[in-house]
Amino acid sequence: MMMFCLCYVLFLTIPSIVIDILQIYHIKAFAKRQAVILQPKDYVVSASYSLANLRLSIISHIFEALIFIAWVSFGLAAWQDFLAEEAAFGFIIFVLGFVLINALLQLPLSAYKQLRLDKLYGFSNVTWQIFFIDTLKSFALIAVFGFLVLWLLLIVMDYAYWWLAGFGVVFLLMVVINALYPTLIAPIFNTFTPLNNQNLQDKIQELMSKAGFKANGIFVMDASRRDGRLNAYFGGLGSAKRVVLFDTLLEKVSSEGLLAILAHELGHFKHKDIIVNLLLSSVLLFGLFFVAGHLPAGLFDTLRLQNNHATSLTILLLIAPIVSFWLMPLIGYFSRKAEYRADAYSVSLTSAHCLKEALIRLVNENKTFPHSHPAYVFFHYTHPPLLDRLKALDIPQAH
Ligand SMILES: [Zn+2]
């Protein structure tokens, strides 16, 4: 048990904190230099916002390690004793209860971030009421989807190689959620209204037809209800695809900039990055299930747990952060390459000038500090640092 906790701390908590600390020193050093991209005042504010987030992240790493130790040293065994053995749906309740208790434990930190830290820097418009309702909705979603997944898992797990079957079920579900997200899940949290700017709509249509892309409508999302930051995405799979523009983006970016951002997103579609991402995540998922399927029998004894599917799956969830931490660089590497390709595609449809302006605008509005430690980029970034993206845009494109 000590070994298990030691592994968690050695392979997750300590490296995460070290990377955060490297980033803190990097930002502190660069904050003293001349401002780039941002106005000097915003540059300083964005540095302090990043530092505040990094400190919070260090606290949460320590907090998560404590939760892990608590689960491993007495929580899981107590939870197992609490639930009657072989009860109907015992498997589902064991795992789902574990997930919901964990989600509950995460609440204080996310409340602090949304209701205090982000508010302090003028991003968050989240009120206690919104936070409370959002939390209830996500818990309901976890309960419903969790129940469905676990029930499916329960059915397939009785076959040999339960971990392989489990992987199949969760992978399928990932695809389904991806497909349903824009039409079924996102509307639970936000309101989507069709874009009613005919001029812009025509331009977006024209852009999409240039890229050979069909979408099931262009929608504006009331992102400003929670957050001042900007974004746009194409969601869904197949014919359920939607263009979603944050209302904040419409407000703050010129229509040329907006088209450049959309062209970038179209680039992801053109290059099938969404599918590549799904496949890469499935590698991670496969790795997780493989590890869970090959846990040493001794581990269950030391944790005072029965060796069954429910406990194996719970241990899988406990070690998932370690596996994903070490696989994230792989996903990040491919993702950052894909971002450069999508930028190049955007340039081919619009212009480097428009995209640059839009990117700079985004960074300004989102108060992203422009400098990052290479180790931090390697472990956490799915997008290249803005300075690198701008530099790449300066190089004349091949086509
Ligand atoms: Zn992108």
Side-chain angles (χ1 to χ4, degrees):
M1 183 156 49
M2 269 293 282
M3 273 296 286
F4 201 35
C5 293
L6 204 65
C7 273
Y8 188 92
V9 172
L10 269 182
F11 291 108
L12 184 63
T13 312
I14 290 176
S16 303
I17 292 176
V18 167
I19 292 163
D20 282 351
I21 291 174
L22 284 176
Q23 176 78 336
I24 286 177
Y25 278 102
H26 193 82
I27 290 177
K28 276 187 173 166
F30 275 87
K32 291 193 196 105
R33 300 197 190 171
Q34 204 187 353
V36 287
I37 298 171
L38 304 166
Q39 295 295 315
K41 193 177 126 264
D42 290 341
Y43 185 78
V44 176
V45 172
S46 77
S48 98
Y49 177 63
S50 301
L51 291 173
N53 269 309
L54 285 161
R55 287 186 199 111
L56 186 64
S57 150
I58 292 178
I59 292 171
S60 77
H61 294 318
I62 294 169
F63 185 61
E64 272 154 21
L66 292 177
I67 292 176
F68 180 90
I69 293 168
W71 275 123
V72 167
S73 53
F74 61 86
L76 284 179
W79 184 227
Q80 180 182 256
D81 295 342
F82 176 74
L83 294 174
E85 211 183 314
E86 304 294 332
F89 294 116
F91 163 82
I92 295 179
I93 295 169
F94 186 86
V95 183
L96 203 56
F98 167 82
V99 171
L100 286 171
I101 292 169
N102 265 326
L104 257 172
L105 290 170
Q106 299 293 337
L107 276 184
L109 280 176
S110 76
Y112 172 77
K113 176 156 168 61
Q114 288 183 50
L115 292 164
R116 174 115 190 105
L117 183 62
D118 287 356
K119 209 163 236 174
L120 210 63
Y121 285 87
F123 286 128
S124 173
N125 301 321
V126 173
T127 57
W128 275 102
Q129 196 194 353
I130 295 181
F131 184 79
F132 182 72
I133 294 171
D134 278 359
T135 304
L136 278 185
K137 285 176 183 170
S138 0
F139 274 64
L141 266 183
I142 295 175
V144 170
F145 271 98
F147 187 88
L148 276 174
V149 177
L150 290 169
W151 182 64
L152 270 174
L153 278 176
L154 193 61
I155 295 171
V156 299
M157 270 176 156
D158 280 333
Y159 298 96
Y161 297 124
W162 69 268
W163 57 273
L164 197 63
F167 160 75
V169 167
V170 176
F171 176 72
L172 234 122
L173 193 92
M174 227 161 66
V175 176
V176 170
I177 288 182
N178 249 293
L180 296 185
Y181 182 80
T183 40
L184 276 181
I185 300 174
I188 297 176
F189 294 94
N190 282 93
T191 309
F192 292 79
T193 39
L195 176 69
N196 67 356
N197 176 337
Q198 193 57 50
N199 184 24
L200 187 58
Q201 202 170 347
D202 290 344
K203 282 183 183 162
I204 293 176
Q205 287 296 356
E206 189 195 323
L207 186 75
M208 289 197 296
S209 62
K210 260 198 241 172
F213 178 87
K214 274 200 192 71
N216 194 5
I218 302 162
F219 291 85
V220 179
M221 182 180 114
D222 63 339
S224 57
R225 212 161 71 84
R226 289 192 186 77
D227 198 302
R229 279 165 281 201
L230 327 174
N231 212 342
Y233 65 85
F234 290 92
L237 290 172
S239 60
K241 280 195 289 276
R242 272 181 169 192
V243 180
V244 174
L245 309 169
F246 285 22
D247 55 355
T248 42
L249 186 75
L250 275 174
E251 243 167 69
K252 301 279 174 57
V253 178
S254 68
S255 56
E256 284 77 25
L258 194 128
L259 289 171
I261 292 170
L262 284 179
H264 168 100
E265 297 300 324
L266 284 172
H268 285 312
F269 261 97
K270 202 81 189 169
H271 305 134
K272 309 225 182 314
D273 291 336
I274 290 94
I275 294 167
V276 172
N277 265 339
L278 212 60
L279 288 179
L280 275 173
S281 322
S282 73
V283 171
L284 198 155
L285 202 65
F286 184 87
L288 263 175
F289 271 98
F290 181 83
V291 171
H294 296 82
L295 292 171
L299 185 64
F300 295 91
D301 295 337
T302 51
L303 299 178
R304 283 171 285 126
L305 290 175
Q306 296 158 8
N307 185 348
N308 59 31
H309 294 340
T311 51
S312 301
L313 208 65
T314 309
I315 293 172
L316 175 149
L317 291 171
L318 271 174
I319 58 175
I322 310 177
V323 180
S324 71
F325 176 81
W326 290 101
L327 282 179
M328 185 50 209
L330 182 78
I331 291 176
Y333 174 80
F334 285 109
S335 171
R336 290 193 300 274
K337 287 211 144 184
E339 292 303 324
Y340 283 123
R341 277 200 308 270
D343 279 352
Y345 186 76
S346 169
V347 170
S348 76
L349 282 189
T350 58
S351 78
H353 173 74
C354 291
L355 182 60
K356 258 192 200 169
E357 233 178 51
L359 286 174
I360 290 172
R361 193 73 220 233
L362 254 111
V363 164
N364 265 285
E365 290 297 329
N366 297 355
K367 294 204 183 96
T368 322
F369 191 69
H371 299 287
S372 266
H373 194 279
Y376 197 84
V377 174
F378 180 76
F379 277 99
H380 293 300
Y381 274 28
T382 52
H383 287 60
L386 181 78
L387 286 172
D388 296 346
R389 280 174 86 176
L390 293 178
K391 222 182 282 168
L393 287 174
D394 281 332
I395 302 163
Q397 303 295 326
H399 42 82

